[in-house]
Amino acid sequence: IREFRDEAATVAEELGLTLIFDDGGWSDISQGFYSTKQASIIRVAVSFLAVIAAMGISVYLHIGRKKKDYAVMRSLGATKRSADAALMLPLMLVAAISVIAGSAVGLFYANASITARVTALELGEISAEIAMPAWASLCCIIGPIILVAAAALLILRRIGGSSALKLLNSE
């Protein structure tokens, strides 16, 4: 709008006209949208980092607590793969249930919140599209589960290289 106004002002001056342009305050509104977008990006980034940290700590504590069980399984002849699976199965089950339940609650909350805000705008016959793409929803559900599995595999790889005796003697 500013570029158009500047270009039109020079043409109007050449013709000896005075150009009056009223954008109805759109410049102020668009600046507000930009500020809100920036704040949302920062919130999402901080939330993402907090989720990564929480998942990492949860996985570390779960596997650290079960380290002696892992060592006993390995010393009794269990393969590394079956011992890894014995630790991963409960962790992944809890992670999957938590992510699915959290996603469902978040989806209902976001839907109700957005619907309430759009209704409060009293747009009349104008309707706003508030749907989230299916691929984004799927990424929000599968992504954390993959991150938990990756963190668990990294930690299991580290302790899997240690002998059972060393794991039993460690604190």
Side-chain angles (χ1 to χ4, degrees):
I1 293 176
R2 288 185 179 129
E3 292 84 18
F4 171 76
R5 185 176 55 208
D6 295 340
E7 184 181 322
T10 56
V11 172
E13 285 176 9
E14 291 174 2
L15 296 173
L17 300 171
T18 303
L19 183 65
I20 299 174
F21 184 75
D22 181 20
D23 65 358
W26 177 252
S27 299
D28 297 333
I29 293 172
S30 67
Q31 182 61 33
F33 282 138
Y34 179 76
S35 299
T36 302
K37 180 182 175 185
Q38 295 302 322
S40 294
I41 289 171
I42 292 170
R43 282 187 202 118
V44 167
V46 168
S47 297
F48 181 75
L49 292 174
V51 165
I52 294 294
M55 284 191 307
I57 290 169
S58 297
V59 170
Y60 179 76
L61 291 174
H62 173 77
I63 292 177
R65 193 181 67 208
K66 301 284 188 177
K67 197 184 302 185
K68 292 197 187 293
D69 296 345
Y70 182 84
V72 169
M73 284 187 278
R74 294 285 290 141
S75 63
L76 291 175
T79 64
K80 185 175 180 251
R81 186 178 189 142
S82 65
D84 288 351
L87 290 182
M88 288 283 289
L89 182 64
L91 178 67
M92 295 309 298
L93 186 64
V94 168
I97 291 170
S98 300
V99 167
I100 290 170
S103 296
V105 169
L107 180 64
F108 288 125
Y109 172 75
N111 222 0
S113 177
I114 291 171
T115 302
R117 285 188 175 88
V118 169
T119 304
L121 290 175
E122 298 178 4
L123 297 175
E125 294 185 22
I126 300 173
S127 65
E129 178 63 37
I130 57 172
M132 183 173 178
W135 64 267
S137 299
L138 194 59
C139 287
C140 288
I141 292 171
I142 293 175
I145 295 171
I146 290 172
L147 287 174
V148 167
L153 289 174
L154 285 173
I155 294 170
L156 284 172
R157 184 173 181 212
R158 191 183 77 196
I159 68 169
S162 301
S163 69
L165 184 59
K166 183 179 176 183
L167 292 173
L168 286 171
N169 289 329
S170 69
E171 285 297 320

